[in-house]
Amino acid sequence: MSPEQLFGLSGSLAMPGWLILAVSPLAPKWANRIGGVFLPIVLCILYAAAVMAYWASGDGGFDSLANVMLLFDTPGVATAGWIHFLAFDLAVGGWIVRQARTSGVPHWMVLPCLFMTLMFGPVGLLMFLTIRFVREQLHAAPSSTI
């Protein structure tokens, strides 16, 4: 499979996972199993296959920014890197949905976090952690009486 085909396949697998997580209140058990676990595992398998197939063809390394840029200048290695992002971000999205359900964070507050995780990874995770922390602090604070 060419890097271009693998790139297309991985995106075609990730996007339904995000959609399933977005509508997870409709079928939480299946959303978690499919969007939060199964599809990230499939992406992890694709990532491992891409690394085995293309890693040796890449120049560069991780010891400097210039070498990282050189490494990802190889289409197969760049595709593997992209699949890495897709797999981890979707797994984090699944974790966010599960944690929100456990913590009682309303799903409407989770949706922007999922979008930001899809688009900007750690920013979406930070948003969710902040929302969850603030909600926990508000619920833990003693209410004042007049």
Side-chain angles (χ1 to χ4, degrees):
M1 184 176 287
S2 74
E4 190 66 38
Q5 291 169 320
L6 194 54
F7 180 89
L9 174 62
S10 61
S12 296
L13 289 169
M15 287 313 295
W18 286 106
L19 292 172
I20 290 167
L21 293 177
V23 299
S24 65
L26 300 175
K29 184 194 281 187
W30 286 105
N32 181 49
R33 287 179 180 169
I34 296 168
V37 178
F38 177 73
L39 289 175
I41 288 172
V42 171
L43 289 166
C44 288
I45 292 167
L46 285 178
Y47 170 72
V51 166
M52 288 188 289
Y54 300 118
W55 194 259
S57 66
D59 294 324
F62 294 112
D63 59 330
S64 69
L65 178 58
N67 276 336
V68 169
M69 291 172 64
L70 185 61
L71 180 65
F72 287 104
D73 196 40
T74 305
V77 177
T79 300
W82 179 244
I83 298 169
H84 178 282
F85 279 116
L86 292 176
F88 265 65
D89 288 353
L90 186 56
V92 169
W95 181 85
I96 287 171
V97 168
R98 288 189 299 275
Q99 287 297 307
R101 197 172 297 125
T102 301
S103 304
V105 176
H107 194 68
W108 66 268
M109 296 177 101
V110 172
L111 289 174
C113 301
L114 290 178
F115 177 75
M116 293 302 285
T117 303
L118 168 64
M119 298 304 293
F120 305 109
V123 174
L125 176 61
L126 180 61
M127 274 180 67
F128 173 72
L129 294 173
T130 301
I131 289 168
R132 188 178 68 174
F133 176 78
V134 168
R135 286 181 51 81
E136 287 171 356
Q137 296 307 307
L138 290 174
H139 287 103
S143 59
S144 61
T145 57
I146 299 178

